Amino acid sequence: MSDLTAQTLISGNLAAICNRITRACEQAGRAAGDVSLVAVSKFHPIESVEAALNAGQRLFGENRVQEAASKFPELRKRWPDLRLHIIGGLQTNKAAEACQIADMIESLDRPSLSASIEKGAQKAGRLPELLVQVNTGDEPQKSGVPREEANAFIEASLERFGPKIRGLMCIPPEGEDPAPHFRLLRQMGQRHGLPVLSMGMSADFEEAIAENATLVRVGTAIFGSRPAPQS
């Protein structure tokens, strides 16, 4: 695919997603500005991110710290208003690097990671904003604090990090109605006075917006099918 073709395709996809977000906000009685689009660029080349940047997108999500570090420091030199979220499960040994490069870590989910982020932030001289990831389906293979432990962990995280804890994130189980999971996250956010809810992806972000999502994470519908991950 030529650079021009990729630019046209990604620009058109971004415009279509933004229109859908606007319509979903209207149907939910919300202002379109209440919801921000996180363009999930994992496994996609830097050229695809550049195409999205050229189309006006500034907020991106990456699953792996190593991949994010290979793309975004260089891009920030040209687009200093770019914002990067780490959205995948974060290993404790990657916490310091995540603190260096990310504006937000969306996947805080256990005390050992809290300790590593605290230590990494001291080393980096900066602490990104943080979201607590809740495993709303209690799926053993998935990152996120289990539902039963979530409220206590959120409270402990607020005590430890204060206002840097901005909100909550979830990924509902595949094949299930996502609405109850989005509703559960909204209720948890309300209980703890947390304004940010990162929920909803390419297939279900309109439903997430109806349940007060403030961040929606969309990858495939913007960038197309993901290439095979690099080892």
Side-chain angles (χ1 to χ4, degrees), residues 98-202:
C99 287
Q100 288 177 334
I101 66 170
D103 298 292
M104 178 179 278
I105 295 169
E106 296 199 15
S107 48
L108 176 60
D109 65 354
R110 59 199 187 279
S112 61
L113 182 56
S114 295
S116 294
I117 287 173
E118 190 171 50
K119 185 177 178 182
Q122 291 170 353
K123 182 179 178 182
R126 65 189 297 273
L127 175 63
E129 294 183 321
L130 302 168
L131 302 184
V132 171
Q133 181 175 353
V134 181
N135 188 346
T136 57
D138 284 336
E139 297 175 275
Q141 80 282 10
K142 197 173 278 186
S143 299
V145 60
R147 283 181 301 184
E148 193 172 296
E149 301 170 19
N151 287 313
F153 183 72
I154 292 165
E155 289 171 7
S157 299
L158 284 164
E159 188 171 332
R160 187 169 204 159
F161 296 111
K164 283 292 187 175
I165 299 289
R166 300 287 295 140
L168 308 175
M169 185 266 260
C170 77
I171 304 171
E174 279 190 51
E176 282 192 23
D177 180 2
H181 298 272
F182 297 151
R183 196 168 304 123
L184 174 64
L185 204 72
R186 173 175 59 80
Q187 291 165 349
M188 281 187 180
Q190 289 172 337
R191 184 177 304 127
H192 295 281
L194 295 171
V196 177
L197 295 175
S198 177
M199 55 189 195
M201 297 187 286
S202 291

Side-chain angles (χ1 to χ4, degrees), residues 9 25 135:
L9 181 66
C25 286
N135 188 346

